[in-house]
Amino acid sequence: NSFVTRTNTCGELRSAHVGQEVTLYGWIQYQRQGLFLVLRDFQGLTQIMIPQDEAHSHVKKLLANAPVESVVRVTGIVSPRPPGQENPKMPTGDIEVKAETAEILNSCKKLPFEIKDFIKKSEALRMQYRYLDLRSFQLQYNLRLRSQVVMRMREYLCNLHGFVDVETPTLFKRTPGGAKEFLVPSREAGKFYSLPQSPQQFKQLLMVGGLDRYFQVARCYRDEGSRPDRQPEFTQIDIEMSFVDQAGIQRLVEGLLQYSWPEGRGSITTPFPSMAYEEALADYGTDKPDTRFGMKIVDISDFLQRSDIEFVQNALSYPRGAVKAICIPQGARYLKNKDLESLKESARSQFNQEVMEIICRPDGSLKSLLTKFLGEKQQSELIQALNMQVDDVVLLAAGEHKQVCSALGSLRLESADLLEAAGLVLRDPTAFHFLWVVDFPLFLPKEENPTELESAHHPFTAPHPSDTNLLYSDPTKVRSQHYDLVLNGSEVGGGSIRIHSAEQQRFVLEKVLKEDSEVLSHLLEALEFGAPPHGGIALGLDRLISLIVDAPSIRDVIAFPKSFRGRDLMGNAPDYVTPEELEPYHIQVSWPLEEKEAKQN
């Protein structure tokens, strides 16, 4: 209550305050028949008794007629609630304040929706009136918890480990590769700034500058629309260190998360387990496995190699052909036929992959199109290989290794959602399973042209020390010194040891990636002036906090997020500007015909 004219907040009064005169400020949450109202502020709720005597008739009139969500000041005496009227669900439930004087500071007009967490509101409406949505308990909690976590992170990095908090520029130039960047026009004709998708180059240049340990709560920008876990502007905890290896960065991040982890969300144990990229793909079908539940992918290629099943033999004839399966526990009991059909359709539409089901009947026999090709002995071996129990459902896929794994990995998550919707708990909602994924490939074939390579992460990642020679002979086989941090199946961080040799960096850009290195001439030149070995990581703050508070979207942990299409529905941005405003930037807008007509009308 420092610096303000209230004596207390609406969440702090208790029986010990009985008899005291207090002044509270807040919003009217609820008012009942002119008898009492509930006053709310950021910290909680207090019941205010409206006086009924003639001497206070003006106070009664004021408070009884004030609309819900009006802002008021109330001064009164703290009193115990009458016996039997205490509310154990409210921290202030033992007391009430008998109003003596009151003032309406600002009346509230008719609300577009009720300020209550349990009231369903469309997300578009919530974002249009974000300032009202922010009054809800859940968003208040999310933003305050976010603030506390960031503060603890600053303490850990700056006070305990000597990191320097440096703000890097927002206006920069285009970076080759990676996500699309927003362009910002300049007054020099044809020249544009670019908003950085991360402070990657600056943090490396800070290491060349001898800063040794850098950190920043960094704003980053990507022009790629908005998905439930993506925003065009987002925040990352950005870290870089000199003279460090992969293990050093990992231990730092584990310590950082353990130190800043909110009380009341359990404790996290370190060190976090680690898994190679190839193992994650083979067992979970993804590079961000959710390890809170089993249902791992099982390779049954060797077992079925001896069979006469045509589609199996076709699949195994390819260089990286495989037959794999996942076992859905109690699938026959919890999943309907339409669920199984939707899973198979999902594999078809997303991965062009056919999937076949095998069901274990109550008598232990198998129901599947496959059984006619398998003898009894083979069937019991298959049950053993997949550890099938009664009512389990197996989904089997055959084809190219990566495609089969990706399809089954996706079905593993979809079937877990279906099982949980039907009442079987697979993933503990209070559990936090961190995992390091390491040994990624340094380069991947481009989707649009598989004969060309692109960086699996970004072009500044150093090759694995054991694979350096392969960089010059067979770059497709090179592993990187990149590491991702995964939490409950979501990527919450990614980093790498960087290339600190100008010669090696130039080779990667020009010879492997076929990029114009001129765009990065400043960085290449910096690496020639005694650049130390260095590495770092960026943690996605929005995603991390959304997982901690179990929010359905990162939009629920950002004060003013963009919509699904990257729009600000409250301020209606982006918006049109006049030709006169564009003139200094040497830009003219070429309107599509229908938009031109719409503007004229």
Side-chain angles (χ1 to χ4, degrees):
N1 297 306
S2 47
F3 316 118
V4 292
T5 51
R6 65 175 174 237
T7 61
N8 301 86
T9 66
C10 295
E12 68 178 295
L13 295 176
R14 302 289 186 272
S15 298
H17 297 92
V18 165
Q20 291 182 19
E21 183 181 79
V22 295
T23 297
L24 307 179
Y25 288 81
W27 286 261
I28 298 174
Q29 168 117 338
Y30 172 77
Q31 194 262 108
R32 187 172 178 191
Q33 296 170 348
L35 298 173
F36 70 87
L37 59 82
V38 174
L39 198 63
R40 183 195 74 243
D41 67 6
F42 71 96
Q43 204 177 40
L45 307 168
T46 297
Q47 183 164 293
I48 309 291
M49 297 309 291
I50 299 173
Q52 303 298 312
D53 58 312
E54 193 57 40
H56 292 91
S57 59
H58 62 292
V59 176
K60 178 179 180 178
K61 186 180 176 186
L62 203 73
L63 294 179
N65 295 328
V68 167
E69 289 303 309
S70 295
V71 185
V72 298
R73 174 193 60 75
V74 174
T75 298
I77 306 298
V78 182
S79 308
R81 289 200 189 188
Q85 290 185 25
E86 299 91 346
N87 185 348
K89 291 179 182 173
M90 276 173 80
T92 59
D94 288 338
I95 60 93
E96 58 195 20
V97 172
K98 291 194 158 73
E100 301 269 319
T101 65
E103 181 186 358
I104 307 294
L105 300 171
N106 214 328
S107 186
C108 180
K109 68 176 190 176
K110 190 175 186 315
L111 292 161
F113 53 78
E114 285 189 71
I115 315 290
K116 288 177 183 162
D117 285 304
F118 58 82
I119 300 283
K120 290 282 181 203
K121 318 169 267 273
S122 78
E123 190 162 43
L125 197 62
R126 286 177 59 201
M127 294 181 77
Q128 185 182 346
Y129 295 96
R130 188 62 168 185
Y131 44 85
L132 293 179
D133 201 30
L134 285 170
R135 294 182 190 174
S136 70
F137 167 78
Q138 192 59 58
L139 283 189
Q140 289 270 328
Y141 173 80
N142 292 354
L143 292 178
R144 288 174 194 284
L145 181 130
R146 177 182 175 128
S147 170
Q148 288 159 12
V149 168
V150 171
M151 196 65 224
R152 295 281 288 171
M153 286 179 165
R154 283 186 192 281
E155 280 175 24
Y156 182 83
L157 292 167
C158 296
N159 298 357
L160 299 183
H161 293 288
F163 278 77
V164 185
D165 183 351
V166 181
E167 294 148 41
T168 54
T170 304
L171 294 174
F172 194 45
K173 64 190 284 190
R174 197 183 65 79
T175 309
K180 280 186 181 168
E181 294 171 334
F182 285 101
L183 297 176
V184 179
S186 78
R187 289 171 185 260
E188 291 185 60
K191 290 190 175 181
F192 291 79
Y193 295 107
S194 198
L195 298 183
Q197 50 188 295
S198 84
Q200 183 60 47
Q201 293 179 53
F202 291 111
K203 62 182 183 176
Q204 290 192 239
L205 293 167
L206 287 168
M207 296 305 103
V208 179
L211 234 75
D212 195 68
R213 297 181 167 205
Y214 142 92
F215 122 90
Q216 180 183 191
V217 181
R219 298 295 285 161
C220 306
Y221 307 88
R222 283 182 187 160
D223 187 9
E224 51 181 25
S226 183
R227 301 202 296 270
D229 59 347
R230 285 274 170 95
Q231 282 273 294
E233 50 182 329
F234 56 98
T235 307
Q236 56 190 37
I237 303 295
D238 204 44
I239 293 170
E240 198 79 6
M241 294 172 79
S242 297
F243 312 111
V244 72
D245 59 9
Q246 185 167 312
I249 296 280
Q250 289 174 332
R251 295 299 85 81
L252 167 81
V253 169
E254 289 166 1
L256 172 71
L257 287 168
Q258 205 165 31
Y259 185 86
S260 59
W261 199 252
E263 286 177 31
R265 291 281 151 179
S267 58
I268 52 176
T269 51
T270 59
F272 301 153
S274 188
M275 185 184 291
Y277 166 80
E278 286 295 344
E279 183 191 342
L281 190 66
D283 288 355
Y284 296 94
T286 175
D287 58 5
K288 39 179 185 283
D290 187 344
T291 54
R292 286 174 298 171
F293 68 110
M295 285 174 61
K296 284 188 187 180
I297 298 170
V298 182
D299 193 327
I300 49 174
S301 306
D302 291 347
F303 170 76
L304 287 176
Q305 205 156 19
R306 305 184 298 277
S307 70
D308 301 326
I309 306 165
E310 191 178 342
F311 78 90
V312 167
Q313 294 308 325
N314 283 347
L316 294 177
S317 66
Y318 289 105
R320 291 213 72 190
V323 186
K324 301 198 169 216
I326 55 167
C327 182
I328 304 172
Q330 302 294 292
R333 184 184 300 176
Y334 286 96
L335 302 185
K336 302 181 175 70
N337 274 338
K338 69 175 176 64
D339 294 329
L340 291 174
E341 286 309 315
S342 84
L343 289 169
K344 283 150 72 170
E345 180 49 43
S346 171
R348 262 186 229 112
S349 60
Q350 290 180 56
F351 301 94
N352 193 25
Q353 178 66 53
E354 290 297 331
V355 171
M356 184 175 284
E357 80 264 31
I358 307 169
I359 297 170
C360 188
R361 293 190 181 106
D363 63 1
S365 65
L366 298 181
K367 176 190 173 187
S368 172
L369 294 172
L370 275 185
T371 49
K372 59 184 176 188
F373 300 104
L374 302 171
E376 268 186 44
K377 184 169 179 288
Q378 283 178 305
Q379 286 187 38
S380 69
E381 284 174 5
L382 183 65
I383 289 170
Q384 217 170 343
L386 293 164
N387 194 20
M388 283 182 85
Q389 311 291 322
V390 168
D391 284 339
D392 285 358
V393 174
V394 162
L395 299 179
L396 179 144
E400 190 274 326
H401 166 78
K402 190 171 181 182
Q403 180 180 312
V404 164
C405 289
S406 298
L408 289 175
S410 177
L411 295 184
R412 172 179 178 267
L413 295 174
E414 279 184 56
S415 49
D417 288 342
L418 288 167
L419 288 175
E420 292 193 328
L424 182 69
V425 179
L426 275 181
R427 297 166 288 200
D428 179 355
T430 63
F432 293 97
H433 284 223
F434 282 98
L435 174 74
W436 289 109
V437 179
V438 298
D439 292 344
F440 283 85
L442 188 56
F443 307 107
L444 292 170
K446 284 185 178 176
E447 269 185 43
E448 64 276 13
N449 184 0
T451 59
E452 291 180 11
L453 295 177
E454 63 185 2
S455 296
H457 290 94
H458 58 58
F460 315 115
T461 303
H464 197 287
S466 322
D467 297 354
T468 306
N469 289 339
L470 286 169
L471 183 63
Y472 305 96
S473 57
D474 190 354
T476 57
K477 290 198 168 71
V478 180
R479 290 168 299 162
S480 71
Q481 287 192 73
H482 178 93
Y483 30 86
D484 272 353
L485 182 61
V486 176
L487 170 58
N488 294 356
S490 287
E491 182 194 326
V492 291
S496 64
I497 301 302
R498 323 298 184 191
I499 296 171
H500 65 279
S501 147
E503 186 189 352
Q504 191 178 78
Q505 185 66 80
R506 191 173 274 110
F507 179 83
V508 165
L509 287 167
E510 294 175 358
K511 300 289 187 270
V512 182
L513 300 174
K514 308 285 192 285
E515 292 276 6
D516 177 10
S517 64
E518 191 53 39
V519 185
L520 293 166
S521 57
H522 56 283
L523 181 66
L524 290 165
E525 188 177 16
L527 295 179
E528 291 172 333
F529 286 104
H534 58 283
I537 193 165
L539 299 176
L541 182 66
D542 309 307
R543 201 174 303 182
L544 177 65
I545 301 295
S546 72
L547 289 167
I548 291 173
V549 301
D550 195 25
S553 158
I554 63 169
R555 290 192 281 276
D556 291 323
V557 299
I558 299 170
F560 297 101
K562 299 289 184 287
S563 75
F564 190 66
R565 297 182 184 278
R567 291 189 59 82
D568 177 345
L569 300 180
M570 183 181 65
N572 196 28
D575 203 356
Y576 296 109
V577 294
T578 64
E580 293 75 34
E581 288 171 297
L582 286 174
E583 201 175 323
Y585 302 106
H586 315 280
I587 290 175
Q588 281 183 313
V589 176
S590 173
W591 295 100
L593 191 60
E594 60 272 18
E595 282 194 42
K596 198 172 187 177
E597 288 169 357
K599 266 185 77 78
Q600 285 167 351
N601 294 336

